[in-house]
Amino acid sequence: MRLLRSNRALPADVRAALDLPRGDRVLAAAPTRGGSHVVATARALYVPTVDGLTRVPWEQVDQASWKDGWLHVHETMGGPEHHVRLTEPGSVPETVRERVTSTVAVSHHAELPNGGGVRIAGRRAPGGGEVRWTFVFDPGLDPKDPGLRAQAEQVLEDLRRQTGL
């Protein structure tokens, strides 16, 4: 499937379900095994769920990967994961990678004083705006532990001073 210049190449039901915000545009789309579509726009990824198409802004995609015909998308801050089988992926995997990468202003892994570590990412929505910070703690660490959060917040403050963000 070639890069889409508009959403006219999409089936009418998918086009209607998108309801794109003003100024957004379709960059790539691919049919899924379930008969729906994954749609990558300039501002978000639309993935099929039981409720229809779910909009995931690029800055809220923590990780995305492509393996054996499956697109795997993990949202930030413990949000949902999406696993979608694409029948004709076209340029969707490359578009997803490029769009997610473009939102990362800074990514830093730090060791915490009491052991373990945290990955701190500063992400910015396409087109600019404020940097949104997220913490991803190493496996085995409780992200709800207030002491651990305080340590991570201190690392974040140091990182913000160093980067000017």
Side-chain angles (χ1 to χ4, degrees):
M1 178 176 265
R2 64 182 173 76
L3 186 69
L4 297 173
R5 298 259 181 244
S6 73
N7 61 4
R8 285 186 210 121
L10 294 170
D13 60 330
V14 175
R15 208 171 36 247
L18 279 177
D19 192 28
L20 294 179
R22 184 180 175 101
D24 202 359
R25 68 188 187 290
V26 173
L27 301 176
T32 68
R33 186 174 196 147
S36 187
H37 280 70
V38 166
V39 181
T41 73
R43 295 183 184 167
L45 179 67
Y46 291 80
V47 293
T49 62
V50 294
D51 299 323
L53 286 176
T54 296
R55 183 180 189 272
V56 183
W58 292 119
E59 68 274 16
Q60 291 180 19
V61 176
D62 182 46
Q63 291 180 331
S65 62
W66 171 251
K67 185 176 181 183
D68 299 328
W70 287 85
L71 178 65
H72 305 279
V73 178
H74 302 261
E75 291 189 43
T76 59
M77 304 300 286
E81 295 180 8
H82 309 278
H83 306 281
V84 185
R85 175 94 168 136
L86 303 181
T87 58
E88 297 174 39
S91 62
V92 166
E94 294 85 4
T95 302
V96 168
R97 180 179 316 124
E98 184 276 325
R99 298 310 297 170
V100 171
T101 301
S102 74
T103 68
V104 178
V106 66
S107 181
H108 175 74
H109 188 272
E111 294 299 318
L112 298 173
N114 294 342
V118 62
R119 182 171 53 90
I120 300 174
R123 313 282 295 275
R124 192 176 273 139
E130 233 179 89
V131 174
R132 245 179 101 222
W133 296 95
T134 58
F135 300 129
V136 178
F137 291 94
D138 287 352
L141 297 180
D142 180 6
K144 294 179 183 167
D145 178 334
L148 204 57
R149 298 274 313 171
Q151 291 175 15
E153 291 284 349
Q154 183 58 54
V155 172
L156 172 59
E157 286 308 311
D158 293 344
L159 186 60
R160 290 178 85 173
R161 270 195 300 279
Q162 291 170 11
T163 62
L165 298 173

